[in-house]
Structure formats: structure tokens, C-alpha cells
Amino acid sequence: MEKKTKAFELQKLALQAPEQLFGDYQTTREGLGTADAKDRLETYGMNIVASQKPLPAWKIWLNALKDPFVIVLILLAIVSFITNDIEAVVVMSLMVICSVSISFYQEYTSQKTSINLREMIENTAAVIREGERQEIPMDEVVPGDIVKLHTGDMIPADGVLLDSNDLFINQSSLTGESLPVEKLPLTADNRADNADKPAVDLPNLLFMGTDVLSGQGTILILKTGKDTFFGDIAKSATGSKAETAFEIGLKRVSSLLLKMIAILFPIVFILNVLTKHDVNSAFFFAIAVAVGLTPEMLPMIVNSNLAKGAQKLAKEKVIVKKLSAIQNLGAMDILCTDKTGTITEDRVVLMHYVDPFGNENEDVLNYAYLNSKYQTGWRNLMDVAVLDYFDSKKKTLPFANVSKIDEIPFDFSRRRLSVALSLAGERVMITKGAVEEMAEVCSSVLINGEKVALTPDLIEQMKAVNVKMNQDGMRVITVAQKTIDSDVIHIADENNLTILGFIGFLDPAKASAITAISSLQAHGVTVKVLTGDNAIVAQKVCADVGIDAEHYLLGSDIDGMSDAELTEQAEKLNLFAKLNPMQKERVIGLLKQKDHIVGFMGDGINDAPSLRTADVGISVDTAADITKDASTIILLEKSLQVLEIGVQEGRSVFINMMKYIKITLSSNFGNVFSILIASAFLPFLPMLSMQLLVQNLIYDVAQLAIPWDNVDREEIEKPVTWNMKNLLNFTFLIGPVSSIFDILTFILLYFGFHYNTIASQGTFQSGWFIVGLITQTLALHILRTKKVPFIKSSASITVWVATIGVFVIGGVLSLTSIGHFFDLHLLPVTYWLIFPFIIIGYLITLQFAKMIYQKSSE
């Protein structure tokens, strides 16, 4: 009901005359005063929607408590409290506090960092304040503001259109409709005709969350922040982001472990009741087993890895807007990239201005200059290059009394830009644009000052000029003109133009791109170029940087292909030229459907759809607002070398997370066997519930060092992805190794040392306690690498410190009277003499089991 009310209110406001709205909102076309705007910001609040607001600390804390493993621990602690097992309650409470506190800290600091980074790439809006145009942060826009819009701008809030010039808006974020919508102000004549239209269909209403595809306009802001149509939708739309493959895999593992807990708790309880005839001890032991199977540090380990990765990338001038993007970087096997500025210098230089036959011609430069100078839309690098060249050469125009009449802004469908000028009293429309698109609207060519109709022979001669310039690595633009009669021009007027000539720009390949692309390819990432540029120019640039582009597809080819045909070609080819934004997006979408993890790197307005579709959207801080908003990663330096570092860090993060998951899953699986066997044959519990809880707490705290572990270079040479089958194979092969040595320890203690009575159970439990603690801790050093541990690959200092910490704590509990608090007894010297052989035997056997697994998984 509320949503309809807001839409209805906007609809009624949009149908009012601008003069009435100016009065209601106490503003004018000159904009608000500075003091008035400040007061309104305090009254209405920041222009942000619910999904953008940072979570308060108490909500982050509650979210940390919602983890399923934490909930299991809390429930077990409550049961223990009810049954008066206070010691267990204390240990489990410590586990909960430790896990939740660290997860809270990671999430809180991550959010704080994200907010700081967001401010570095803050989107802005062009507002009119006190008659002057100002660029202000978008979240400071208030009702009554007058905002100027140009190609590539995001609409900062809901507003009504006051004036426009070929203004086309992308409303897909609200309506799902991918086609652009033209927006026009309402007039007294057509206001009544639009009275029954819904708000989203009104031609003069613009909404927060949409963006300008082409053209210009001016809007009066009506609603901001949570009061906008988009803000209302955001209340019910939060949390709807698609899960990454890693998050899905993590849920599967969590589900598997929770099922193990649910199944084993009653089995262990019943088995111990039947064999020990002590319901209380059996119950508490079953609870301790459930706690031992609960990887309560899993969410914290994941958050620590991601946060550490984001911090390291920030030092490399890479801003991670969404932490899960780090995982996707590590899994990425295809990087699609725009050409300009990524593998080229992004420093376009005007090289040639020639007539249709390739001869230098000053008139071509003059008309190109006028077109670039008087257009007011999105000014691209080629416009800047024309203006800079003209000024640097101190050129003068041969025209007097030049004044602007009208313009048709550039857009990525027409790929043209037209400006209507009065030149010495004559109305002239000057158009420049891509060669192919310009050929569609030109019917004649200027030769020696005479307009000559285009013939097949002339067309072939001009094509040869273009090909020659392209082969030299230049991007070619056609310049044309025609005389007009009207003071207003429309797209339909772009016809029967006369070609004046061509201007050629050079954007040389980056030297750094050569090594970066070579390194990415060596690390298993295929680099594909998706560009709107000419195929021949793109081919040369690709060849210069080491991308195989002998064969390529054009946008015109793609339109005639089925999804199956295009998918086959998309996997084989590395160059796609003359693409429009929707064609780029289609190629990326089809690659994703073939289970590729696809990154896309671009900074153009036309790249926004592709950035949204890709698994990893990568842009730069100098990109247009809508482009940055569509990205998950922002580079402060537009360099593939920086991205290469990001890929390697993403893989390191993933591998360190998998270390904990693999070891935890296999260790828990092995413990299941050990506990079931011990419960069935021993006349007493193999370990007291308190001892099991303490052992688990010490081990888990030590695992906090994993995010800071070293990663072998070989591990990051290929994309890393979640593989549930391999994980289960690893668990079933590695898990039983610990069970074998647990059983050998049972046999040694039971038969060798004769700890086989109720009176001697404390010493038996102490013997297994220290073996289990040390073997589980050292298992990390064996399983963390595919190489021979300690010799060819060693853990980081942080991991070694944590390992030594476990040794010290284990020694204190086993060798001093402190252990008596947990019913741990002192072990004989002879046991300590045998102890190293148990540990060494376990490590050697584990290494062989690991080698067998690696061979089977190749």
C-alpha cells in the first residue's frame, strides 16, 4: 500500500506545472541557496536508501550470533547449564564469545573500511546553487535542488524534468526493460493526455537508481533517500544478491557438518549409555563430541581471510566494494576487457586529418574542432585530443561569427555526434562518428570543393584509406556536414551528409600490458578483448600485447548467431570488435553459462551492463558514475599489472580458507571413527567432556593464524574453484589416518601401560588428550601444502607462533598441576619417550596419504 502511495504522490507532482512546483518547493531555476540547502539536508537527511546505510554495531553483533554453528554452541551451552555442567558452560561460552567477537570485529572494521573507500569513489551530481553549477556528493542532494544531467550520469533522486535534449534513460533497474526510454518535459498541451499513466511511464519523471544513456536534461528534485521510489523498493530488495560459488559450497559443507552432529549426538549418547551404564557422563560426552564437530571458527576464518585480502589489495590501490569479489578474482579463468586505456595508453593523440583520398586537409581539422568544441555532452578522449591538438598548434578558424544552434549528443547505438552551428550566417550541421555508422548516413563526398555523389569506386578508394590508417594502428573517425534550414535538429536529420574526410587517432599499446597479459595467461586466465572499436585497429593492438587475435567476430556477426553458435565462438576467439553494450553483455553471459568465472574490465559508460553481468566487474575511479556503481572492484590505477596482483591475492585468500575447511572436515570425520570405536570397547569414556572442550578451544584459537599463512607459488598458477567431489575424497582418505593413530594410542595406553580400569581412566584420557591436540595441530603443516612440508614449503611465522603456543599450553596442562583442574593426570616418563614416535609416525603416514590423494585427483 505504501509503495502505491509513493508512486501516486510522484505521479501527481509530475503532472503539475513547473511554476507550481517551484512555489511548493520554494526554489527557482537558479537553484537553492547554500544555507537553505544545508537546512534541508538536516531536515530530510542524507540522500541514501536503506540498503546503503551502514549497519549499527548491535545489528552486526546479532548477525554474528546467527551463524548456525554458533547457534549450536549456544543451545548446547543452555542444555549444559540446565544439567548443571557449569564447567562445560564456561568453555562453550568462551568459544561463542571468541567466535562472535572476532566475526563482529572483522565485519565492523570491514564495513568501516568499505565506507571510507566508498567516499574515495563517491558519485557526484551537478546541482545549480545560487545560480552556479556545483559538483556535490550525490548523498547531499536535497528536495528542491536543480540538477543538470549528461550522458553517463546517475539520477541522484526522484525528480521532474524541466528541459531536455535527446535525453534517453536506462530504467532497467526499476522496470527490468533493457530498452532505453526517451524522457521529455510535459507541456500544457499534453499534460492531460498523460494523466492516467503510471509513474514509471510518465515521460517527465526520472527516478533514483536509473542512469542517462545519452543526451542532456535538467530536473527538479522531488524526493530523496528513503522517500524515493527506489528507496521504497530497496526495503524489500535488500539481501537479494546472488550467492557466489564459494558461498554455495560453504553452505553445503556447513549443512554436512550439522547433519553429522545431528546423527552422531544420539549415536554416541546411546552407545555410551549401553557400554558405560552412566547416563549423565554419556550425555555430557555426547555434547562435547557435538561441540568438537562444530567448526565455530569457520565464519571468522572466512571473514578474516577476506578482510586481510581487501586490506592487502587496498595497499596496491585496488578498492574492493564487495568482499566476496576477492573469491571470484581467484576463481576467474576468463578476463574480458575493453581495449582503450586497459591495454592501450589511454592517451589518444590526433595523428592525421585527411580528405577522402588520404591527403592532409585543414578543413577536416577545422570542422572536427567545431564539432568537439560546441558539443556539451559526454566529452570522450578523441574530443579532448582534437581540442588539444588544435590549441597546441595555435590554429585559427577560417569562420567568423560562429554560434551554436542545437546538437544531437553521442550515443552508443548511432555512434555519431552532431552539432548545428551558424557559420557566417549559414546554418550547418557538422557530424563526426565511426566510419561504418557514418557511411550509412552519407550520400556525397567533397572533392576539391565540389560535392560529388558517392559511387562504388569512390567508396572503395575511401575504404582503402581507412584500412591503411587502421593497419597503422589508428582509430579513424569520419567528419561530414550538410546545410540545414531549421534551428532544431533531430536524429532523423542525420542523412544525406557530405563526407569531408577522416581524422586518425593513435592510442599506443602499453608496454606494461605485454608483461601483465603474459603473466595472466601463465596463471590460467584467458584475456579476451571486447571493444566497440574497429577490428583492424584492435587486431594490431592485440598483436602488440601478445593476444592471439588472428580470427575475430564483429557485432554484426553476433546478431545473426544463435546462443549455441556464439557460445562456441566465444570460447575459441579472443577478439570481438564493433560491439554495442548489449552484445558485450551477451558474450559475457554466455561464457558464464559454460561455467566460466568471467571478469570484465572497462571504464566506459557503455561498459556498465557488462560490469553488472560479469562475476567480477572491474573499473577505475575516473570512470563515469554509473560505471563505478556497476563494478565490484575499483582500480585507482588503470593497469592490468595491478589486476594480476589482485588475481593472485584472490587465489591466496581462497586457498587459506580451504586449508581450514579441509583440515576441519577431515579431522572431524576421523574423530567420528575414533570416538565410536572407543565408546564401543572401552569401559570408560576415552576423554571427559571438559577435556574434549578444552582441547577443541585450544586448537580453534590456534587456527586464527591461517589467514596469515604462506601460499605456495604453484598453488596460485591456476584458477581456484570449489570442488565438492575433491573435498569429500580428501575427507574420506585423510580423515581415517588420525583414527588409525588414535586407535594405536588406545592400544598402547590400554595394553602397554595397563590403563584399563576406572581407577586409571584419568591417565588414559591424558595420554589421548595430548596426542590428539599435537597431531591435529601439526596436521596443518602437512596438509597446508602439496609439497614436502618443512623442507620445500614452510608455514608463516604467524602459524609457527600459534603452533608453538599449542605445544606450550599442551605441555603446561600435561606436565603441571594446572591440568588437574581438567582431571588430567601426569603421564609416566616412558610414555613421553614413546610419544615422539607416535607423532612422527602420524606425520609420515599423513604425508603418504596426502600424496595418494594428490595422485588420484590429478
Side-chain angles (χ1 to χ4, degrees), residues 472-508:
D472 290 337
M474 281 184 279
R475 300 168 68 178
V476 182
I477 296 294
T478 300
V479 181
Q481 63 91 27
K482 79 171 185 178
T483 304
I484 56 174
D485 300 322
S486 173
D487 285 342
V488 179
I489 55 174
H490 303 282
I491 291 175
D493 295 320
E494 291 180 331
N495 61 35
N496 295 321
L497 293 163
T498 299
I499 296 174
L500 301 177
F502 309 106
I503 44 179
F505 303 88
L506 191 63
D507 185 8

Side-chain angles (χ1 to χ4, degrees), residues 63 201 253 369 499 742 769:
N63 287 340
D201 291 335
V253 170
Y369 174 79
I499 296 174
D742 284 338
F769 173 89

Side-chain angles (χ1 to χ4, degrees), residues 340-366:
T340 306
T342 306
I343 58 177
T344 60
E345 290 283 358
D346 201 10
R347 184 180 53 82
V348 175
V349 179
L350 193 154
M351 298 297 291
H352 294 297
Y353 40 94
V354 298
D355 66 17
F357 306 111
N359 304 308
E360 187 173 298
N361 188 293
E362 289 287 335
D363 283 343
V364 175
L365 175 62
N366 292 333

Side-chain angles (χ1 to χ4, degrees), residues 161-168 182-185 203 215-218:
L161 192 61
L162 302 176
D163 59 64
S164 67
N165 183 8
D166 296 300
L167 183 65
F168 286 85
E182 185 172 15
K183 293 290 183 176
L184 298 162
Q216 298 96 38
T218 307

